[in-house]
Amino acid sequence: MARVMLVNFGFLLLVMICFGFLSNTLGQQQDDDGDDDTAVYIVTLKQPPFVHLFEEEDLKQIRHRHQSPKHGHTSKFKPKLQPRNISRKRHGRGRPKRPPSIAQTHDSFLRKTLKGEKYIKLYSYNYLINGFAVFVSSQQAEKLSMRREVANIVLDFSVRTATTYTPQFMGLPEGAWVKEGGFETAGEGIVIGFIDTGIDPNHPSFSDKDINSQHSYPTPKHFSGVCEITPDFPSGSCNKKLVGARHFAQSAITRGTFNSSEDYASPFDGDGHGTHTASIAAGNHGVPVIVSNHSFGNASGIAPRAHISVYKALYKSFGGFAADVVAAIDQAAQDGVDILSLSITPNRKPPGVATFFNPIDMAILSAVKTGIFVVQAAGNTGPSPKSMSSFSPWIFTVGASSHDRVYSNSITLGNNVTIPGVGFSSPTDDGKMYKMVSAFHALSNTTSVDTDMYLGECQDYENYNQELVSGNLLMCSYSVRFVLGLSTIKQALDVAKNLSAVGVVFYMDPYVLGFQINPTPMDMPGIIIPSAEDSKILLKYYNSSIERDATTKDVVEFGAVAAIEGGLDANFSNKAPMVMYYSARGPDPEDNSFNDADILKPNLVAPGNSIWGAWSSVSIDSTEFEGEKFAMMSGTSMAAPHVAGVAALIKQTYPNFSPSAIASALSTTALLNDNKGGPIMAQRTYANPDQSLINATPFDMGSGFVNATAALDPGLIFDTSFEDYMSFLCGINGSDSVVFNYTGIDCSSNNSSRISGFDLNLPSITVSTLNGKQVFKRWVRNIAGNETYNVGWSPPYGVSMKVSPAQFSIGTGETQVLSITLEPTKNSSSSSFGRIGLFGKAGHVVNIPVSVIAKIVLS
């Protein structure tokens, strides 16, 4: 009998200014009728999906066949299992396709099981998962689970959304782009799929008429996606750059959470997040960034000539749901995307035997089997340990780092103290200081703090006396209401202009902690002081400079003066990269009890802080960028598409690379030092994060910071197959039934093996518990010329380590096995870290991080 897994990820509201998301997903939604417990369930059937009918190598070769069957070509590959409804028709160019009758089979199954009862089938999954999403009562779900055809039933759960300069910081113009023939061809022919909030197709970042290139966009022959046509996504929205666009919202619509007035029942992006992430990975090169009438240079995606296909499954008003996301993943795989970028994470850790067993990760595993490289944001839940929101070893998880560009603003006080701040604004008149007037001291006679405690936020000009403010700097309080969107910088600036103020100074409420305050466009002189301590210095000077009437205590003279220096010019001298405090950290939690997995997460860090990207023309998600074509955002959502773009460059260079080979190239070539030559640092606290820096560990940054140029010439690669991942899943204690329910693979069969996470051939070694001496194996394949490698290592603290051989010579295409012996020298439960380096005489360097958590010495 199938086991009913009622997975409810519940409700989690995280509000982070400009972190790339404002999560307000409401978890499991029920109808208002208290007796109605209908909900959306994801049902998996025992009959295998299409991708499990073929061996991994067969799928890889089928995927790269570009000949059309109508020209007389037929596939030589046969399914290893013959389903009842297999079709000989091919999907697109040379791609076998599941027949439409699969959906009819699902319909027939539901009718027979739920005879005469009401239900709504939302999706049929038939490529990566054989199953469907259905809106039924808990009693009906139980009835479905009793059928012998059903393998698994999971309650649907909610998910949330987790560049002008970063290509230069990553060295692309002089490095990776040169290797690809320049930006005019970088990424060409590779399709990146985005599961996000959609796209604004009218943005110049996605035009196929690139004014900076005389080279026209080709049509990717292996891709067969389509472009939905709706009133707000009309015919002509797609082109040779934007080659596909669909939307998935059936779960949200059925629940009643879909808001058609702002969510758009089409691929159009009403939020801005999806437009932003797509442009980071694959936006056109040389698009001018003009915000609030100020120029901030020209933008480029990491792979500017890559093609884009959009699968909208996230929405402004509620986030998204797993049933819709799984449908999007399934469709992207059928369409033939090469790279899949997900800047989304679940609202909570999946319950059950292990975090890896959830519909999204298992659908991605099937996608990886077909040859799709999948990159996912780590999540913005750092800096606590085990805060990771991307779990599985077949998913490439990316954390967020800084880069060296900073837009500096500052205010100089009359006592010669200069306070740093942020804000894209012009300066006050050169060399001239202006009086400062607090909003609390500029109230009109009819306004009282007793009736409105938020008067300091400058949101209604009728509350203030224009005579006191005119010609002066207005001081406004920046409280948590700005973070929540209840008050806005834009409204405060409008109030200041209506009062004829010269400029605005925002000081920080001491209760606003742990929020990233990005520079904000200002159409007049202005500054935000993000530090509560610096804000106290400002207020102390201001209060010491005012004169009050001895009797009434009213302010009669404003003595504090200041000048705003302006924040339109970028400074490129910052020490970077640095792991941002909000970036989710390892170790990777294996289950909901926070047991540690023998898997390294994150895999890598990439630029994610203060990133310029394209913005939707109708987005009101960030009022400061409303109506603009570009916005600056921060978060792991912005980091993931940087890596998706680099992965496209790798795939272009090595078309036959497996997803694990791409992951290996990215990982083993990662940078360990910052631009000043020191070790990469990590922020450790929400409050005053720059004052809590320590050396980043693999649980902060994975293998290190993405190195695009070196990743195109990695020398050696680590390969991991689908069968390896299945052996890993079978090796999890108590997982046999769950593995069978999701994949139809019997872990107890003679052909199945069981391994631990540390036995996977990953470019890292992570051991949750080192119980006495253990030997770990890794094998590498040489994709470069003949080369001799010297092996060096530094052991984790409390562990002795030996790697053999200490030197080896390897020819092109040959493999080499490495044996790594680890033995604890002292008992400890604290994580410690080491590293293995393979140093080739032709210049290749392979970096392998080693992480050991608990150590037990055997007597």
Side-chain angles (χ1 to χ4, degrees):
M1 181 181 68
R3 183 164 59 94
V4 180
M5 297 172 59
L6 301 183
V7 181
N8 190 339
F9 275 35
F11 169 79
L12 178 62
L13 175 64
L14 294 180
V15 187
M16 300 189 181
I17 187 165
C18 291
F19 266 28
F21 74 92
L22 173 60
S23 173
N24 58 352
T25 48
L26 301 181
Q28 182 63 47
Q29 300 292 317
Q30 307 292 350
D31 291 344
D32 293 334
D33 184 354
D35 296 328
D36 187 0
D37 65 345
T38 50
V40 175
Y41 292 83
I42 301 173
V43 181
T44 307
L45 302 181
K46 290 179 180 178
Q47 187 178 26
F50 173 77
V51 298
H52 293 324
L53 301 177
F54 290 85
E55 298 293 348
E56 185 175 13
E57 189 61 29
D58 291 349
L59 283 169
K60 181 178 177 181
Q61 294 186 46
I62 291 170
R63 179 180 176 81
H64 288 92
R65 286 174 60 90
H66 299 325
Q67 294 87 358
S68 172
K70 67 182 180 181
H71 294 154
H73 295 283
T74 57
S75 174
K76 66 179 180 180
F77 304 110
K78 303 298 181 184
K80 57 184 178 182
L81 297 175
Q82 187 67 35
R84 288 171 294 179
N85 296 307
I86 192 68
S87 171
R88 295 181 182 178
K89 292 177 66 177
R90 298 301 184 208
H91 183 75
R93 295 179 177 268
R95 175 183 299 277
K97 179 184 178 184
R98 268 287 201 176
S101 59
I102 292 297
Q104 296 171 1
T105 300
H106 295 162
D107 292 336
S108 176
F109 170 78
L110 284 166
R111 284 194 299 268
K112 291 178 180 178
T113 306
L114 306 176
K115 296 176 182 177
E117 300 179 27
K118 293 183 179 179
Y119 63 89
I120 303 174
K121 191 193 79 168
L122 311 182
Y123 298 106
S124 276
Y125 310 126
N126 54 44
Y127 193 71
L128 303 178
I129 293 176
N130 182 10
F132 49 83
V134 63
F135 188 66
V136 292
S137 67
S138 59
Q139 291 82 9
Q140 289 174 311
E142 185 67 30
K143 190 179 295 185
L144 287 170
S145 75
M146 301 294 289
R147 291 293 299 263
R148 60 181 177 82
E149 299 95 332
V150 171
N152 205 35
I153 297 184
V154 178
L155 186 65
D156 193 15
F157 55 87
S158 58
V159 296
R160 60 171 179 255
T161 56
T163 126
T164 59
Y165 174 67
T166 46
Q168 282 80 3
F169 181 67
M170 293 167 61
L172 295 175
E174 299 80 27
W177 284 352
V178 174
K179 292 187 177 184
E180 300 293 349
F183 71 83
E184 289 190 333
T185 57
E188 193 167 275
I190 305 302
V191 181
I192 307 178
F194 296 88
I195 297 180
D196 215 299
T197 64
I199 197 167
D200 184 344
N202 302 310
H203 199 283
S205 291
F206 312 122
S207 171
D208 62 356
K209 297 174 176 60
D210 188 351
I211 62 174
N212 295 299
S213 174
Q214 297 180 352
H215 182 65
S216 62
Y217 272 99
T219 301
K221 296 179 180 180
H222 64 286
F223 183 75
S224 59
V226 300
C227 192
E228 273 185 32
I229 297 176
T230 68
D232 43 44
F233 209 85
S235 177
S237 295
C238 288
N239 52 46
K240 291 183 178 180
K241 172 73 172 181
L242 176 58
V243 294
R246 301 174 186 253
H247 87 287
F248 303 84
Q250 290 303 310
S251 181
I253 292 171
T254 305
R255 298 162 182 269
T257 60
F258 190 88
N259 185 339
S260 59
S261 65
E262 59 181 62
D263 289 324
Y264 295 91
S266 78
F268 189 84
D269 184 8
D271 177 270
H273 189 274
T275 300
H276 199 275
T277 56
S279 72
I280 292 171
N284 284 328
H285 182 272
V287 180
V289 179
I290 299 174
V291 175
S292 194
N293 297 318
H294 301 304
S295 176
F296 294 97
N298 296 320
S300 175
I302 301 302
R305 295 291 290 186
H307 307 273
I308 294 169
S309 187
V310 169
Y311 304 87
K312 179 179 175 181
L314 295 161
Y315 297 83
K316 173 180 170 52
S317 65
F318 58 87
F321 295 97
D324 296 325
V325 172
V326 171
I329 296 170
D330 193 71
Q331 188 61 59
Q334 291 187 65
D335 290 347
V337 302
D338 299 290
I339 314 293
L340 194 56
S341 180
L342 293 86
S343 288
I344 61 173
T345 57
N347 268 347
R348 292 180 64 185
K349 291 177 177 60
V353 174
T355 52
F356 321 115
F357 294 113
N358 66 82
I360 294 177
D361 284 35
M362 296 307 291
I364 291 173
L365 175 58
S366 294
V368 168
K369 182 182 180 183
T370 71
I372 300 171
F373 177 77
V374 182
V375 57
Q376 183 179 26
N380 298 333
T381 48
S384 300
K386 305 186 186 184
S387 53
M388 187 56 52
S389 297
S390 175
F391 315 108
S392 298
W394 51 86
I395 300 174
F396 199 82
T397 304
V398 184
S401 76
S402 64
H403 53 93
D404 66 350
R405 184 194 61 203
V406 175
Y407 291 95
S408 300
N409 198 344
S410 62
I411 182 170
T412 301
L413 308 180
N415 60 359
N416 291 323
V417 172
T418 298
I419 298 175
V422 296
F424 294 128
S425 82
S426 56
T428 50
D429 292 341
D430 188 30
K432 184 176 181 181
M433 289 200 168
Y434 292 87
K435 286 185 177 181
M436 293 190 292
V437 178
S438 169
F440 288 113
H441 296 152
L443 300 179
S444 64
N445 293 330
T446 59
T447 306
S448 170
V449 177
D450 295 334
T451 59
D452 188 349
M453 62 186 294
Y454 304 114
L455 289 170
E457 297 172 9
C458 308
Q459 297 297 294
D460 186 351
Y461 77 95
E462 293 183 350
N463 291 328
Y464 308 101
N465 184 337
Q466 183 172 359
E467 291 183 6
L468 293 175
V469 178
S470 180
N472 297 321
L473 295 172
L474 179 62
M475 293 173 57
C476 307
S477 171
Y478 189 103
S479 77
V480 72
R481 288 168 55 85
F482 284 84
V483 179
L484 296 171
L486 302 175
S487 296
T488 68
I489 298 291
K490 189 172 185 178
Q491 181 61 26
L493 294 173
D494 288 343
V495 167
K497 284 183 286 186
N498 283 326
L499 296 173
S500 302
V502 171
V504 185
V505 179
F506 294 92
Y507 58 89
M508 192 60 54
D509 185 298
Y511 295 103
V512 181
L513 296 175
F515 295 100
Q516 175 73 23
I517 310 299
N518 277 335
T520 298
M522 300 181 181
D523 54 5
M524 67 187 303
I527 187 172
I528 306 170
I529 301 173
S531 163
E533 293 302 315
D534 287 341
S535 296
K536 290 178 182 178
I537 294 173
L538 171 74
L539 293 174
K540 182 178 180 180
Y541 165 67
Y542 173 81
N543 290 326
S544 67
S545 302
I546 58 177
E547 295 182 17
R548 295 182 181 271
D549 183 276
T551 304
T552 65
K553 303 300 181 182
D554 291 338
V555 177
V556 295
E557 181 64 32
F558 299 97
V561 295
I564 296 173
E565 304 301 324
L568 298 176
D569 297 327
N571 183 308
F572 298 96
S573 61
N574 236 32
K575 184 177 180 180
M578 173 175 60
V579 182
M580 302 307 297
Y581 67 90
Y582 52 78
S583 186
R585 311 299 168 93
D588 186 17
E590 184 173 86
D591 52 39
N592 234 5
S593 300
F594 288 93
N595 291 312
D596 299 317
D598 297 310
I599 303 295
L600 179 62
K601 293 291 178 180
N603 296 96
L604 207 66
V605 292
N609 201 62
S610 299
I611 306 298
W612 283 116
W615 199 239
S616 175
S617 58
V618 302
S619 173
I620 57 174
D621 183 58
S622 175
T623 57
E624 281 67 45
F625 292 101
E626 187 175 346
E628 303 286 358
K629 285 188 175 294
F630 283 86
M632 177 175 280
M633 305 291 282
S634 293
T636 57
S637 280
M638 285 66 244
H642 279 87
V643 174
V646 178
L649 300 179
I650 297 173
K651 187 71 173 178
Q652 183 184 20
T653 305
Y654 303 99
N656 294 321
F657 259 23
S658 67
S660 62
I662 296 175
S664 173
L666 287 163
S667 299
T668 61
T669 60
L671 296 171
L672 302 176
N673 294 320
D674 61 29
N675 57 354
K676 305 298 183 183
I680 294 175
M681 307 299 286
Q683 296 176 336
R684 281 295 186 183
T685 60
Y686 287 106
N688 302 315
D690 286 336
Q691 298 175 21
S692 62
L693 300 178
I694 67 167
N695 289 2
T697 74
F699 291 160
D700 300 313
M701 66 175 182
S703 293
F705 179 79
V706 61
N707 185 348
T709 302
L712 296 183
D713 184 21
L716 306 176
I717 61 168
F718 296 74
D719 249 327
T720 310
S721 69
F722 173 78
E723 285 72 22
D724 295 332
Y725 293 131
M726 292 309 305
S727 296
F728 158 70
L729 292 176
C730 286
I732 297 172
N733 188 34
S735 68
D736 286 24
S737 61
V738 187
V739 170
F740 182 80
N741 289 344
Y742 270 115
T743 68
I745 294 175
D746 184 0
C747 291
S748 62
S749 69
N750 293 332
N751 295 328
S752 297
S753 61
R754 301 172 188 264
I755 63 174
S756 298
F758 48 60
D759 293 320
L760 284 169
N761 194 48
L762 302 175
S764 61
I765 298 174
T766 305
V767 186
S768 59
T769 302
L770 182 61
N771 199 339
K773 179 190 287 189
Q774 290 182 248
V775 179
F776 306 89
K777 300 287 187 180
R778 292 293 185 270
W779 65 269
V780 293
R781 178 164 55 91
N782 185 17
I783 64 163
N786 299 347
E787 194 165 1
T788 297
Y789 283 83
N790 291 317
V791 182
W793 60 88
S794 57
Y797 178 75
V799 177
S800 68
M801 180 164 69
K802 181 181 179 181
V803 184
S804 62
Q807 184 185 75
F808 60 90
S809 296
I810 186 169
T812 303
E814 293 181 349
T815 61
Q816 173 68 50
V817 176
L818 300 173
S819 294
I820 303 97
T821 303
L822 300 178
E823 184 174 9
T825 58
K826 60 183 298 183
N827 292 315
S828 173
S829 60
S830 298
S831 301
S832 57
F833 308 95
R835 198 165 296 279
I836 301 170
L838 311 181
F839 304 95
K841 292 188 176 181
H844 294 107
V845 177
V846 177
N847 160 45
I848 308 168
V850 179
S851 309
V852 180
I853 304 175
K855 309 159 192 73
I856 302 174
V857 178
L858 298 180
S859 55

